[in-house]
Amino acid sequence: MKYLKFLALFLAMTSLSGCISDDENYCSQTIYPFATQVTGPDTAITGEEITLNVSFTIVDGCGTFIGFQQNNVYPRNVYPAVQYEGCNCTGNQHITTEGFVFSEDEPGEYEIKFVSGLTSDSTSYTYIYKTITVSDPD
């Protein structure tokens, strides 16, 4: 019986080890950089997709934009997500711009808040606000 328990444990450990990286120094992390600028239309028609151009800082060579994170209520908080691969990210920082797609099926005013920094005492976030008025087509 002890032999079977040992064998089961051994098989479980060896099968899991295939998922672990052989490089103990491998680093991967998702970072949510602050937005530096948001541009785009302030109005939309119900069901229409509009694109807001969101600028933020990324590091060349190891950072890749993977999408926008957001909550599902209004005012909606939105922030870009960047995946960094590697332990030593030595590239230059630059501002990049990606499109955030917005669409609503009901008329109204919708506030979107893009996280842009921290307050001077670092206790809360600051935002770039974008209000979009959605109306029915004439």
Side-chain angles (χ1 to χ4, degrees), residues 1-62:
M1 184 70 167
K2 285 185 180 183
Y3 174 74
L4 288 177
K5 287 182 182 178
F6 176 77
L7 181 60
L9 179 62
F10 177 76
L11 288 174
M13 294 298 287
T14 57
S15 65
L16 287 176
S17 67
C19 298
I20 300 172
S21 173
D22 291 335
D23 182 1
E24 292 179 12
N25 295 321
Y26 179 76
C27 303
S28 178
Q29 185 175 18
T30 302
I31 301 292
Y32 304 99
F34 297 135
T36 58
Q37 183 178 24
V38 179
T39 60
D42 295 327
T43 60
I45 303 298
T46 53
E48 172 189 30
E49 288 186 349
I50 61 170
T51 300
L52 303 176
N53 295 309
V54 182
S55 299
F56 54 92
T57 302
I58 194 168
V59 178
D60 291 331
C62 61

Side-chain angles (χ1 to χ4, degrees), residues 71-124:
N71 62 347
N72 292 323
V73 297
Y74 288 100
R76 182 158 291 164
N77 295 331
V78 177
Y79 41 96
V82 176
Q83 184 71 37
Y84 286 96
E85 300 291 338
C87 298
N88 295 314
C89 198
T90 58
N92 295 322
Q93 289 187 358
H94 73 277
I95 302 292
T96 189
T97 302
E98 295 290 339
F100 173 76
V101 177
F102 172 85
S103 178
E104 281 296 331
D105 293 328
E106 296 293 325
E109 283 195 348
Y110 296 91
E111 185 175 65
I112 304 173
K113 299 170 19 179
F114 295 87
V115 179
S116 63
L118 293 170
T119 58
S120 59
D121 61 359
S122 297
T123 59
S124 60

